[in-house]
Amino acid sequence: MTIVGVLALQGDFAEHVALLRRLGAETREVRLPSDVTGIHGLVLPGGETTTISRLIDQYGLRDPILSMAREGAPLWGTCAGLIAMARKTEGRDDPVLGLMDIDIERNAYGRQVDSFETEIDVPALGEARFHAIFIRAPRIQRTGPEVEILARLEDGTAVAVRQGALLGTSFHPELTEDPRFHAYFLRTVKEREHSSRVAAG
Ligand code: GLN
């Protein structure tokens, strides 16, 4: 059975768990290093980056998460979770996890439009547009050569990115009723789990 972990230290992890369950996935809330054992993918939810980063260290989760990523397990960061995955965040000396070759500016859409919602095209999810909810969202300023852009705003800003098994969205699919992003991630987790099982014989 494929188990998808959801980092449950702070932020909107419950919404991710609910959507994944609706899709029939087995989920596990991850709070301790032992929770990482046996999961096949991990969602890093939205919340507050500084708090999440501090709790990751406090609970000893940094190394288990990094080794999961090194082994090629799929990780998906939404909003603060995306910031956590970035190699570089403006105003921070060190990255939180530093896994994805992207540069981020936090809370970058300006105070007046703190939060906004818009329809975006995500060809990987099919023809219907996706309702994207941005809440004090990070802006992806640069993407490296290995990063595939899955969706952009009309002004060209990347808002959904993928690098190998790593997925990042600066908005919150878990706050909508549209399960397509979660289904997409689940597929990645299952494909990856299948191929590592085949490789292991
Ligand atoms: N503004 C938050 C941060 O920078 C992220 C917002 C979110 O996850 N909704 O940490």
Side-chain angles (χ1 to χ4, degrees):
M1 184 73 187
T2 307
I3 305 174
V4 182
V6 179
L7 187 69
L9 299 173
Q10 191 260 343
D12 71 338
F13 55 87
E15 286 80 355
H16 276 291
V17 169
L19 248 182
L20 288 165
R21 289 215 174 127
R22 223 177 86 197
L23 291 168
E26 181 91 8
T27 58
R28 184 189 296 165
E29 294 187 2
V30 170
R31 296 190 177 84
L32 297 170
S34 57
D35 296 331
V36 177
T37 310
I39 60 172
H40 304 99
L42 180 67
V43 177
L44 307 162
E48 211 283 316
T49 311
T50 312
T51 309
I52 292 177
S53 173
R54 194 166 33 81
L55 292 172
I56 283 177
D57 282 326
Q58 215 163 302
Y59 286 87
L61 283 166
R62 179 175 305 273
D63 287 340
I65 295 174
L66 290 177
S67 55
M68 243 190 109
R70 258 197 309 274
E71 283 159 21
L75 263 61
W76 174 20
T78 58
C79 206
L82 170 70
I83 301 171
M85 298 215 317
R87 294 233 175 108
K88 198 159 175 280
T89 298
E90 208 176 271
R92 271 188 80 93
D93 292 338
D94 300 310
V96 180
L97 298 168
L99 295 166
M100 248 191 176
D101 190 13
I102 53 174
D103 293 354
I104 291 283
E105 189 187 344
R106 285 173 71 186
N107 304 324
Y109 290 95
R111 288 217 166 80
Q112 256 131 35
V113 285
D114 228 20
S115 301
F116 62 99
E117 304 185 12
T118 184
E119 309 293 321
I120 56 172
D121 279 318
V122 192
L125 300 185
E127 259 181 34
R129 303 188 98 195
F130 196 91
H131 186 73
I133 302 176
F134 294 81
I135 303 170
R136 296 178 59 75
R139 189 193 281 269
I140 301 171
Q141 289 172 317
R142 183 196 66 85
T143 55
E146 282 169 29
V147 177
E148 184 190 344
I149 296 173
L150 300 177
R152 298 178 187 270
L153 294 180
E154 262 161 34
D155 71 0
T157 307
V159 291
V161 286
R162 179 173 182 156
Q163 182 179 345
L166 306 175
L167 180 65
T169 49
S170 51
F171 53 96
H172 292 272
E174 74 283 9
L175 298 182
T176 67
E177 292 292 313
D178 188 339
R180 286 180 292 157
F181 253 107
H182 289 76
Y184 178 83
F185 181 65
L186 209 53
R187 264 199 310 278
T188 310
V189 175
K190 285 189 174 153
E191 276 162 19
R192 160 74 211 170
E193 202 227 332
H194 180 74
S195 57
S196 55
R197 236 186 306 127
V198 171

PDB file of all heavy atoms in Angstrom, residues 175-187:
ATOM      1  N   LEU A 175      -7.083  23.966  -0.747  1.00  0.00           N
ATOM      2  CA  LEU A 175      -8.209  24.787  -0.285  1.00  0.00           C
ATOM      3  C   LEU A 175      -9.330  24.838  -1.308  1.00  0.00           C
ATOM      4  O   LEU A 175     -10.289  25.585  -1.147  1.00  0.00           O
ATOM      5  CB  LEU A 175      -7.735  26.206   0.046  1.00  0.00           C
ATOM      6  CG  LEU A 175      -6.688  26.302   1.173  1.00  0.00           C
ATOM      7  CD1 LEU A 175      -6.323  27.755   1.441  1.00  0.00           C
ATOM      8  CD2 LEU A 175      -7.195  25.642   2.456  1.00  0.00           C
ATOM      9  N   THR A 176      -9.199  24.056  -2.361  1.00  0.00           N
ATOM     10  CA  THR A 176     -10.275  23.984  -3.350  1.00  0.00           C
ATOM     11  C   THR A 176     -10.921  22.598  -3.286  1.00  0.00           C
ATOM     12  O   THR A 176     -10.453  21.722  -2.558  1.00  0.00           O
ATOM     13  CB  THR A 176      -9.734  24.179  -4.787  1.00  0.00           C
ATOM     14  OG1 THR A 176      -8.904  23.055  -5.117  1.00  0.00           O
ATOM     15  CG2 THR A 176      -8.921  25.448  -4.907  1.00  0.00           C
ATOM     16  N   GLU A 177     -11.964  22.423  -4.068  1.00  0.00           N
ATOM     17  CA  GLU A 177     -12.615  21.115  -4.151  1.00  0.00           C
ATOM     18  C   GLU A 177     -12.059  20.326  -5.331  1.00  0.00           C
ATOM     19  O   GLU A 177     -12.490  19.208  -5.589  1.00  0.00           O
ATOM     20  CB  GLU A 177     -14.127  21.294  -4.341  1.00  0.00           C
ATOM     21  CG  GLU A 177     -14.835  21.887  -3.135  1.00  0.00           C
ATOM     22  CD  GLU A 177     -14.831  20.908  -1.963  1.00  0.00           C
ATOM     23  OE1 GLU A 177     -15.156  19.735  -2.176  1.00  0.00           O
ATOM     24  OE2 GLU A 177     -14.479  21.339  -0.848  1.00  0.00           O
ATOM     25  N   ASP A 178     -11.106  20.929  -6.042  1.00  0.00           N
ATOM     26  CA  ASP A 178     -10.572  20.307  -7.251  1.00  0.00           C
ATOM     27  C   ASP A 178      -9.392  19.400  -6.878  1.00  0.00           C
ATOM     28  O   ASP A 178      -8.352  19.883  -6.424  1.00  0.00           O
ATOM     29  CB  ASP A 178     -10.103  21.436  -8.197  1.00  0.00           C
ATOM     30  CG  ASP A 178      -9.715  20.935  -9.573  1.00  0.00           C
ATOM     31  OD1 ASP A 178      -9.419  19.727  -9.717  1.00  0.00           O
ATOM     32  OD2 ASP A 178      -9.702  21.760 -10.510  1.00  0.00           O
ATOM     33  N   PRO A 179      -9.556  18.094  -7.031  1.00  0.00           N
ATOM     34  CA  PRO A 179      -8.516  17.182  -6.546  1.00  0.00           C
ATOM     35  C   PRO A 179      -7.410  16.889  -7.567  1.00  0.00           C
ATOM     36  O   PRO A 179      -6.564  16.029  -7.335  1.00  0.00           O
ATOM     37  CB  PRO A 179      -9.310  15.899  -6.259  1.00  0.00           C
ATOM     38  CG  PRO A 179     -10.381  15.905  -7.305  1.00  0.00           C
ATOM     39  CD  PRO A 179     -10.706  17.359  -7.585  1.00  0.00           C
ATOM     40  N   ARG A 180      -7.403  17.635  -8.702  1.00  0.00           N
ATOM     41  CA  ARG A 180      -6.500  17.214  -9.779  1.00  0.00           C
ATOM     42  C   ARG A 180      -5.019  17.325  -9.423  1.00  0.00           C
ATOM     43  O   ARG A 180      -4.215  16.502  -9.858  1.00  0.00           O
ATOM     44  CB  ARG A 180      -6.809  17.993 -11.058  1.00  0.00           C
ATOM     45  CG  ARG A 180      -8.104  17.531 -11.726  1.00  0.00           C
ATOM     46  CD  ARG A 180      -8.374  18.306 -12.981  1.00  0.00           C
ATOM     47  NE  ARG A 180      -8.678  19.705 -12.687  1.00  0.00           N
ATOM     48  CZ  ARG A 180      -8.522  20.703 -13.561  1.00  0.00           C
ATOM     49  NH1 ARG A 180      -8.068  20.446 -14.772  1.00  0.00           N
ATOM     50  NH2 ARG A 180      -8.822  21.936 -13.222  1.00  0.00           N
ATOM     51  N   PHE A 181      -4.632  18.342  -8.656  1.00  0.00           N
ATOM     52  CA  PHE A 181      -3.209  18.447  -8.288  1.00  0.00           C
ATOM     53  C   PHE A 181      -2.812  17.311  -7.350  1.00  0.00           C
ATOM     54  O   PHE A 181      -1.726  16.735  -7.459  1.00  0.00           O
ATOM     55  CB  PHE A 181      -2.877  19.795  -7.643  1.00  0.00           C
ATOM     56  CG  PHE A 181      -2.092  20.682  -8.559  1.00  0.00           C
ATOM     57  CD1 PHE A 181      -2.671  21.782  -9.164  1.00  0.00           C
ATOM     58  CD2 PHE A 181      -0.761  20.380  -8.856  1.00  0.00           C
ATOM     59  CE1 PHE A 181      -1.954  22.572 -10.038  1.00  0.00           C
ATOM     60  CE2 PHE A 181      -0.031  21.166  -9.727  1.00  0.00           C
ATOM     61  CZ  PHE A 181      -0.631  22.271 -10.318  1.00  0.00           C
ATOM     62  N   HIS A 182      -3.711  16.989  -6.418  1.00  0.00           N
ATOM     63  CA  HIS A 182      -3.417  15.892  -5.495  1.00  0.00           C
ATOM     64  C   HIS A 182      -3.352  14.558  -6.245  1.00  0.00           C
ATOM     65  O   HIS A 182      -2.507  13.720  -5.942  1.00  0.00           O
ATOM     66  CB  HIS A 182      -4.455  15.866  -4.364  1.00  0.00           C
ATOM     67  CG  HIS A 182      -4.295  17.013  -3.411  1.00  0.00           C
ATOM     68  ND1 HIS A 182      -4.706  18.285  -3.718  1.00  0.00           N
ATOM     69  CD2 HIS A 182      -3.717  17.085  -2.187  1.00  0.00           C
ATOM     70  CE1 HIS A 182      -4.395  19.089  -2.702  1.00  0.00           C
ATOM     71  NE2 HIS A 182      -3.797  18.387  -1.771  1.00  0.00           N
ATOM     72  N   ALA A 183      -4.233  14.393  -7.229  1.00  0.00           N
ATOM     73  CA  ALA A 183      -4.210  13.167  -8.026  1.00  0.00           C
ATOM     74  C   ALA A 183      -2.907  13.080  -8.827  1.00  0.00           C
ATOM     75  O   ALA A 183      -2.306  12.010  -8.955  1.00  0.00           O
ATOM     76  CB  ALA A 183      -5.425  13.127  -8.964  1.00  0.00           C
ATOM     77  N   TYR A 184      -2.468  14.224  -9.337  1.00  0.00           N
ATOM     78  CA  TYR A 184      -1.218  14.290 -10.093  1.00  0.00           C
ATOM     79  C   TYR A 184      -0.045  13.872  -9.202  1.00  0.00           C
ATOM     80  O   TYR A 184       0.808  13.059  -9.589  1.00  0.00           O
ATOM     81  CB  TYR A 184      -1.037  15.726 -10.600  1.00  0.00           C
ATOM     82  CG  TYR A 184       0.234  15.998 -11.374  1.00  0.00           C
ATOM     83  CD1 TYR A 184       0.316  15.698 -12.737  1.00  0.00           C
ATOM     84  CD2 TYR A 184       1.338  16.574 -10.751  1.00  0.00           C
ATOM     85  CE1 TYR A 184       1.476  15.972 -13.457  1.00  0.00           C
ATOM     86  CE2 TYR A 184       2.503  16.845 -11.462  1.00  0.00           C
ATOM     87  CZ  TYR A 184       2.562  16.553 -12.804  1.00  0.00           C
ATOM     88  OH  TYR A 184       3.709  16.811 -13.508  1.00  0.00           O
ATOM     89  N   PHE A 185      -0.011  14.401  -7.973  1.00  0.00           N
ATOM     90  CA  PHE A 185       1.070  14.058  -7.048  1.00  0.00           C
ATOM     91  C   PHE A 185       1.011  12.573  -6.671  1.00  0.00           C
ATOM     92  O   PHE A 185       2.024  11.879  -6.665  1.00  0.00           O
ATOM     93  CB  PHE A 185       0.992  14.935  -5.792  1.00  0.00           C
ATOM     94  CG  PHE A 185       2.095  14.654  -4.801  1.00  0.00           C
ATOM     95  CD1 PHE A 185       3.425  14.916  -5.120  1.00  0.00           C
ATOM     96  CD2 PHE A 185       1.813  14.115  -3.553  1.00  0.00           C
ATOM     97  CE1 PHE A 185       4.445  14.651  -4.220  1.00  0.00           C
ATOM     98  CE2 PHE A 185       2.837  13.855  -2.645  1.00  0.00           C
ATOM     99  CZ  PHE A 185       4.148  14.125  -2.976  1.00  0.00           C
ATOM    100  N   LEU A 186      -0.196  12.115  -6.413  1.00  0.00           N
ATOM    101  CA  LEU A 186      -0.392  10.709  -6.055  1.00  0.00           C
ATOM    102  C   LEU A 186       0.112   9.781  -7.161  1.00  0.00           C
ATOM    103  O   LEU A 186       0.740   8.755  -6.898  1.00  0.00           O
ATOM    104  CB  LEU A 186      -1.887  10.491  -5.827  1.00  0.00           C
ATOM    105  CG  LEU A 186      -2.315   9.407  -4.859  1.00  0.00           C
ATOM    106  CD1 LEU A 186      -1.649   9.566  -3.515  1.00  0.00           C
ATOM    107  CD2 LEU A 186      -3.844   9.468  -4.699  1.00  0.00           C
ATOM    108  N   ARG A 187      -0.145  10.172  -8.402  1.00  0.00           N
ATOM    109  CA  ARG A 187       0.354   9.375  -9.536  1.00  0.00           C
ATOM    110  C   ARG A 187       1.875   9.314  -9.513  1.00  0.00           C
ATOM    111  O   ARG A 187       2.470   8.270  -9.712  1.00  0.00           O
ATOM    112  CB  ARG A 187      -0.117   9.996 -10.862  1.00  0.00           C
ATOM    113  CG  ARG A 187      -1.377   9.352 -11.398  1.00  0.00           C
ATOM    114  CD  ARG A 187      -1.582   9.626 -12.882  1.00  0.00           C
ATOM    115  NE  ARG A 187      -1.461  11.023 -13.280  1.00  0.00           N
ATOM    116  CZ  ARG A 187      -2.421  11.945 -13.176  1.00  0.00           C
ATOM    117  NH1 ARG A 187      -3.593  11.623 -12.671  1.00  0.00           N
ATOM    118  NH2 ARG A 187      -2.213  13.184 -13.579  1.00  0.00           N
TER     119      ARG A 187
END
